[in-house]
Amino acid sequence: MATKEQQTIPVSVIETPDISLSSKEQQGIDELISHSPQLAGITIDALKLIQAERGWVSDASLHALSLYTQIPVADLDSVATFYNLIFRQPVGKVVLHPCDGISCDLMGGEHIRQCLKQQLNITAGETTPDNRFTLIPLPCLGACDKAPVMIANKQLFENVTTDELPKLLSTFNEVS
Amino acid sequence: MRQALLVSKVLGVTNMNSSNQPQSPEGTENLISLTIDNQSYSVEKGQNLLQACLSLGLDLPYFCWHPAMGSVGSCRQCAVTQYQNSEDTRGRLVMSCMTPLTEGMIISLKDDKSQQFRETNIEAIMTNHPHDCPVCEEGGNCHLQDMTLMSKHINRRYSGKKRTHLNQFLGPLLNHEMNRCIGCYRCVRFYRDYCGDKDLNVFGSKSHLYFGRAESGVLQSHFSGNLAQVCPTGVFTDKPFSHHYSRKWDLQTAPAICPHCSLGCNINLGQRSGSIRRITNRHHDEVNGHFLCNTGLFGYEHVNHNERLEWPLKRNNEHKTTDKLTPEQAQTLLAEYCETPNENCIAVGSVRTHIENNAALLKLFGEQQFYLGIDDSHAQLLNMLCSAYHDTSLSPISLAEVERCDAALIINEDITHTAPRLALSLRQMSRNAGLKQAAKLGIKYWQDDAVRNIAQTTLSPVHIVQSHGSELSDIATQSIILNSAAQTVLLQEIASLLTTHLNSQAEQPASSEAKAIVNDLMAAEYPLVITGVQNRDLKQVSLSIEIANTLKQLKQDTGFYAVTQDGNDLHLGMMTANSHPKNASQGLDSLLKRLNSGTVETLIILETDLYRYLDKSQLDDALNQVKQIVVIDQLLTKTAAMADLILPATSFAESYGCYLSSEGRLQLSFATMVPIEERLTPWQWLSTQIGIPSYCELVLWISEQLPQLKAIETFAELARFNELSPFRVARQAVRSSSRTAIDAVEHVKEEQPPIDLNGPFTHSMEGVAGFRQALVQPISVLPADQWSPKWNSDQAGSRAGVNHTRDQSSSTTSPWTQGVQIFSPNPQAKRELGYQQTHSSMPLESEQIRLTPSANLYADFELASYSKALTSLAPHKLARIHPETASKWQLEENQQIRLYSDRSQVALECLFDSNQAKSTISVPTNYFRQLGTWARLTPLPAQKRSETSTQESTQPLSNEEER
Amino acid sequence: MNQTLPHNPLTRFITDDESCWSIEQYQNQGGYQGFRKSLTLSQEQLLDTLKESNLRGRGGAGFPTGLKWSFVPRGDDAPSPRYLIVNADEMEPGTFKDRMLMEKTPHQIIEGLLIGAQTLGASIGYIFLRGDYYLAEKRLTKALQECRDANLLGENILGSGLDFDIHLHTSAGRYICGEETALINSMEGKRANPRAKPPFPQVAGLWGKPTIVNNVETFCNLPHIIHFGPQWFKDLGLNDDAGTKIFGVSGRVNHPGLWELPMGTPIRDIIEQHAGGMRDGYTLKGFLPGGGSTDFLVAEHLDIPMDYDTISKQGSRMGTGTIIILDDRYCPVAMVLNLIKFFAQESCGWCTPCRDGLPWAQVLLEKIEHGEGEPEDINQLEELCRFAAPGNTFCALAPGAVEPLQSALKYFREDFEAHINQACCPFHDKKRQGIDETGTPCIKGSGGDKYEQL
């Protein structure tokens, strides 16, 4: 198709993505497209699908997705940067989501987060140098009666105490 | 209708208590009365409260609303207090942009509650703004500054950190400074929703919004330059302007007409110290509205170019030198060359000069000796269009009318490149089906977000018949790619289907495409047919006229628009129509024959670079047979370099003169600056010989000699402007700096401004602000610079009423601001067309292939091609060919091919494009002009080239290196 | 009350072994009876039942559900398809009721949707689930498959001629998705900015088609209303409001948790009887009655009943009905700061008072909490509360966000003043240690980090 990309000067030529979609990803996206009344409707699900496969959504992944779906990169990135759970930077093997909602804070949540930071020696949003952990506090995880809580590896940890944090982290070490 | 107009005679305001009630044409049923701060007003229905307040001349701050883009309610700046009834003393805040007008509504702008809210709101908006006005190019021309002052926010209380952003490279047209962003979302709404382009977007969320591209790179939109004006502050600023920046108040501006494509968009041309600094949009309801294309916005560098001619020059063959002449010497020499115009003396008119200049040449040499600076088929097409407009009930509609249509058929014209602003209007037109859906739910057209949510993907039908893919295909119902022969068949089917409707005959068999097109056109209330001269296809344009004409008989409201090719080419269709038999050629092909006959002694060429149209070697030979060549031009073109006498001409920035747009709108372009002494407007070079000393007399001569251009006589009064009013309009905006202080005379070293004897403007700020003049002058012109009290920025022009509807009695009907439409539907229109096209496409020989032009707005317009920023955006010169066709010719991708016709030859790299019609090959417009509609094709032996082939590897055989 | 009629409809199927998430157990307990009954009723009858029941939306705003549903165009020429969406994007601070319903009785939601489909002729349902609710996702996915296998979803459901299917969409995480029009934008794959209203989603929502968005708990009520009738439902409430409600308590109480209780249950009963009262050493200082975006109430309000109108009269809102307790040892400024920070983070960035007003309030609160506040700051905070008042903003996020702030300034003003006068937080010894320098956790993906130069 005679797109404007082809007609303009080299500066705007989009780099060929070095990571194209795997056949599994392509199948998943085809499936999404078949359900959605309009193409754009798949954007969030497609981004989540890519992230599930790759851990995060890189620029190259965005281009690959755009190339496959014909949704403009700017549209994909506009949506990707809007949502909390789409990671546009690489994350560690385990993403720790300690709750920073008010109910957890009332029960000492802030202290838990502080301890996590100290033990991992990173601040919120950072990844440990060994690439094991990324710390991303999330607001109210909806388990306020069990406060303070944390989500990691799709698992909810309730009534977290500072004492059990080292053990908790080490179980992830074993898993990963 | 989408444009809300004002109602009253003065200031658009009617005080209901006073006795002189306004009489709007429709009577009062269209009006609504409301009370604002205890004053009664009456305004036109249908609009929103903000628009009404602005139309009434009230100062109400806003950011996200835009008259062309409607309301979304994001900035919250236009809050006012609405009271339920006269007893209600508390009222509640409403966003005026989101509030429809209701009869008897009571609101207040001046109450404490809404004033306080607006003040806090702008203080919140400004928490992240860097306050870098002194180094910001928007300073002094900034909507945010205006609104901040208007909202009375003067004291900053926020003590937190400001967010900061990295900026992006966005190409040669715009600077990016995201830290200034106030998050009004106008840029993305303009870019994405209004223009349909996708590479600008908003990223992030909360107070960390980022408006830009996914990564640095050139903005793709043909309208990206408008972001500088759409943005209420300095996030997007005009990059070429940066290179020769001037504060707005130091600019001298005048209302001018864009000289590039044929649409006749209205512009403000700003100059300082004799060089053009920037172009801004000049609002015209019927033509360009609020936006221009990039070529219009940035195509002014030819005025400042270092190849501008500054002296009359004479070739001295004896000494092999070029001699400078004084203007007097030059005029004497010119008189010598063509003292008694005879058949050995011929002239070439121009498509980029003012009508007056061509007319002067025509007067001097007579019709038989006057050639048009375009190829023969272009001339025939213009002739055909002019005849059609004269003989039938068909006449072109304005761009505003285009936006009101509800179905369109575009026939073989790539309007996204040949008439970009028309393509933008068509995009708005395609929304009408969605707007209608929204209206059914009671949603007003200006409720932009709501309308789009309701409409979703609903679009009015747009059918495109073309020889290659178009950038409008995203809004097209059908995008039909066919070669010329197949298009003709399709068009004939459409024509005969429409005829069967007209004669109530039984439907004939036809292709599904043709049926779909006819069904949509017939189902529409206001169908539109668009065609153009781009392809030089007489048969198709003639069929397009036939289709539109038949449709017009079926539906009174049928729109038609034929795009012509150059800024001022349409009037040439009239200049030779009188004495020549219909369809006789008087273009450059005929000129070449005439020159080759060897009888021409003197050739005078007006503002035409013949080398753009003709093969170099053929032209060289022909020119060598001429004794004297005189060139009147602005720049040292290749043709000018061949001249014996060169007369430097004024540019559009330095002269007064008329353009005729392809809509048939005759518009006067005002001079922004005074030319240097040695440069004359072309007709002035000829004035002694034609015996016409003044502009006024020249214009009157045209109106007598060319009946279709009779309306031009209006502009004869230009010279009387100064007599009519003692008040002259300031070219310079009013400034409020110390430069106007009492000591300015000692401390400010600036040359005394020149005096302009020819127009209504003064080169100074010591004049009347244009908007004010509009109130007092019987003849009014638009303000030289958009400004009104408290509104220094260009947004002043966006205030619904300020410029164009304030004074209906003169401003909206004045030819000085509106132009004159010269094609009125002929009441005695014949049912049949006045001519019969017998042209059938010439059968091609086996080694010939049909050519189609691939137009590009950055490459095709001669004057614009002197602007580096624009040419850097022009595409590689490539030949596009369908892979199947390529395999028939045994071509490989990226292979070099040679195309040659009896007119010229060229070598190009070929690119496979499955969106190119089969059995055709598309070449850049400039090559198409030279080669004609067909060529022989020979593959060139494959060369060993690096993968990253660039322009350098595409060497044309003939060295007509295009600008 | 009639012995055979349940008094705890929403939780009546939940058995001790918590196995009612399976279709077998759910049907054994009496599930899908309401839906089966609805198949015998006309759309008008169903809608009338719903209106008569006086059910109000359980998402927080309390809009009458029957009225909302009646705006959906009906009849043969009505636009189609029509959509039903379950708002399961539970993210209101201190709210955890929908998670319980989804994890324990996913079929109850599906049954509610099926009744909605029957009532409105909707053909597609969506469950818009919070992305972090992994267990709920698992159980809902399984429940949906079970229903498809049992012909409770799909074509010609139970031979009734009804065609209806449900898709599960897991959110990519934004609080604003709980706003129904923002949720619809998100469903369309867009940024979750709220939409202009009108048109309301009932008329033109998802893909421009009629759409009903209701909270999980609202849908869960439907099977029972249809099964036992509107009068039974109205009788469940102790005062004017009908039915029961899942109430919850979090904070320093002895037994934080959730209970299904009649509408109009006095707050004191909830906190003292069900939640077991305050923990030793802690006294109740105030509470947010219905999640993080409701106004504080204090001890004097303990005896008022939890129903929509009574709470409103006291200057707060029932919200989600999940109470957050502020104890005497936690700093009220810190609590408000936590909430404002949350709302500022979760602003979609569309309108000014929310996008720029909330971070401004956050800056002021941080100043005060860090002992750098000035008396003028309190005036500014009050001004910002007025600035973000209902009607001034594009949606309800910012007005909700300033509710705890404006009420804290009313009830705990002396604490704010103490911070300023003492130039430190008087609670600092009890305060969590080591608030980080900026106090703002950087959530990747939401901040446009790559564009920022720090």
Side-chain angles (χ1 to χ4, degrees), chain B residues 770-812:
Chain B
F771 82 99
R772 205 166 287 166
Q773 163 151 4
L775 302 177
V776 297
Q777 288 266 96
I779 299 171
S780 65
V781 290
L782 282 175
D785 213 344
Q786 288 173 351
W787 177 86
S788 69
K790 298 184 204 169
W791 298 72
N792 293 298
S793 81
D794 298 327
Q795 305 287 331
S798 302
R799 293 177 72 190
V802 173
N803 279 333
H804 51 284
T805 54
R806 173 155 282 191
D807 185 356
Q808 287 207 320
S809 63
S810 62
S811 207
T812 54

Side-chain angles (χ1 to χ4, degrees), chain A residues 1-2 4-12 14 38 59 63 72-75 77-78 81-82, chain B residues 169 192 197-198 201-205 214-215 218 220 417 456-457 471 872 874-875 880 913 915:
Chain A
M1 187 182 152
K4 279 189 239 169
E5 259 78 21
Q6 289 166 323
Q7 293 179 8
T8 44
I9 61 171
V11 184
S12 67
I14 287 166
Q38 285 171 32
D59 288 356
H63 283 300
V73 175
D75 289 20
D77 202 15
S78 175
T81 53
F82 184 89
Chain B
F169 166 77
R192 304 173 59 79
D197 288 286
K198 298 290 180 205
N201 213 331
V202 52
F203 305 96
S205 69
E215 62 245 315
V218 179
Q220 304 288 305
H417 287 283
Q456 296 278 332
T457 51
E471 287 158 36
S872 71
R880 288 170 186 271
D913 182 350
N915 277 332

Side-chain angles (χ1 to χ4, degrees), chain C residues 385-406:
Chain C
C385 290
R386 286 193 298 275
F387 177 47
N392 297 358
T393 56
F394 197 80
C395 79
L397 191 151
V402 296
E403 281 182 26
L405 172 60
Q406 68 190 15

Side-chain angles (χ1 to χ4, degrees), chain B residues 331-602:
Chain B
Q331 253 161 337
T332 313
L333 193 61
L334 178 70
E336 246 173 62
Y337 283 167
C338 41
E339 195 174 6
T340 47
N342 57 44
E343 61 198 31
N344 300 328
C345 197
I346 59 174
V348 178
S350 166
V351 291
R352 58 171 159 91
T353 197
H354 293 149
I355 292 174
E356 295 83 344
N357 301 327
N358 279 328
L361 212 56
L362 180 70
K363 180 166 192 314
L364 185 59
F365 290 89
E367 289 188 11
Q368 295 295 339
Q369 309 292 95
F370 183 69
Y371 286 82
L372 309 179
I374 46 179
D375 55 74
D376 282 13
S377 51
H378 187 178
Q380 286 164 13
L381 282 163
L382 295 177
N383 222 312
M384 184 194 289
L385 288 172
C386 290
S387 312
Y389 297 151
H390 184 262
D391 297 342
T392 71
S393 61
L394 218 53
S395 59
I397 59 172
S398 69
L399 297 193
E401 285 296 318
V402 166
E403 295 191 8
R404 288 175 196 128
C405 293
D406 57 354
L409 168 63
I410 307 174
I411 302 168
N412 211 12
E413 179 79 11
D414 186 4
I415 58 172
T416 54
H417 287 283
T418 62
R421 187 63 187 78
L422 172 63
L424 189 61
S425 288
L426 202 78
R427 222 169 244 291
Q428 312 318 311
M429 172 251 134
S430 73
R431 293 187 59 215
N432 284 338
L435 282 158
K436 209 169 162 183
Q437 271 186 8
K440 275 189 202 153
L441 296 179
I443 304 297
K444 297 269 192 276
Y445 67 90
W446 43 262
Q447 283 282 12
D448 195 56
D449 183 40
V451 170
R452 287 176 198 276
N453 285 330
I454 292 166
Q456 296 278 332
T457 51
T458 308
L459 292 170
S460 292
V462 173
H463 297 270
I464 307 178
V465 180
Q466 59 202 339
S467 49
H468 56 75
S470 151
E471 287 158 36
L472 280 176
S473 55
D474 62 323
I475 58 160
T477 319
Q478 286 191 107
S479 200
I480 306 165
I481 296 172
L482 295 172
N483 62 31
S484 152
Q487 281 187 28
T488 304
V489 172
L490 177 67
L491 294 179
Q492 276 163 340
E493 280 183 343
I494 295 168
S496 55
L497 279 176
L498 286 169
T499 309
T500 58
H501 276 287
L502 189 61
N503 302 332
S504 313
Q505 294 163 340
E507 194 156 290
Q508 295 171 344
S511 65
S512 59
E513 286 93 345
K515 281 182 181 165
I517 291 170
V518 170
N519 285 345
D520 279 343
L521 292 175
M522 290 301 295
E525 283 169 18
Y526 194 174
L528 167 65
V529 177
I530 292 177
T531 186
V533 306
Q534 176 195 17
N535 281 278
R536 302 290 188 268
D537 198 323
L538 289 140
K539 182 75 186 166
Q540 278 174 17
V541 174
S542 132
L543 274 168
S544 307
I545 293 170
E546 190 187 325
I547 287 169
N549 200 41
T550 315
L551 198 56
K552 181 103 184 165
Q553 289 159 49
L554 286 158
K555 292 178 173 285
Q556 185 54 37
D557 284 332
T558 292
F560 180 72
Y561 204 105
V563 176
T564 60
Q565 191 147 351
D566 301 280
N568 220 357
D569 59 351
L570 184 58
H571 77 280
L572 294 178
M574 301 163 191
M575 285 210 159
T576 56
N578 295 334
S579 61
H580 287 281
K582 293 270 161 88
N583 304 327
S585 304
Q586 194 79 345
L588 294 175
D589 303 272
S590 310
L591 173 77
L592 204 60
K593 277 184 206 138
R594 177 89 178 257
L595 294 178
N596 285 331
S597 70
T599 56
V600 177
E601 287 182 5
T602 302

Side-chain angles (χ1 to χ4, degrees), chain A residues 81-83 114 125 140-142, chain C residues 99 130 174 190 434 444-445:
Chain A
T81 53
F82 184 89
Y83 291 95
Q114 196 54 38
C140 191
L141 297 172
Chain C
R99 174 205 282 275
R130 183 166 180 194
R174 281 310 286 249
K190 298 175 184 159
K444 287 189 183 174

Side-chain angles (χ1 to χ4, degrees), chain B residues 611-628:
Chain B
Y611 287 93
R612 280 175 69 82
Y613 302 89
L614 299 167
D615 181 68
K616 181 175 189 313
S617 58
Q618 290 184 27
L619 185 57
D620 284 347
D621 293 345
L623 291 181
N624 279 336
Q625 303 183 46
V626 181
K627 204 168 145 197
Q628 292 124 9

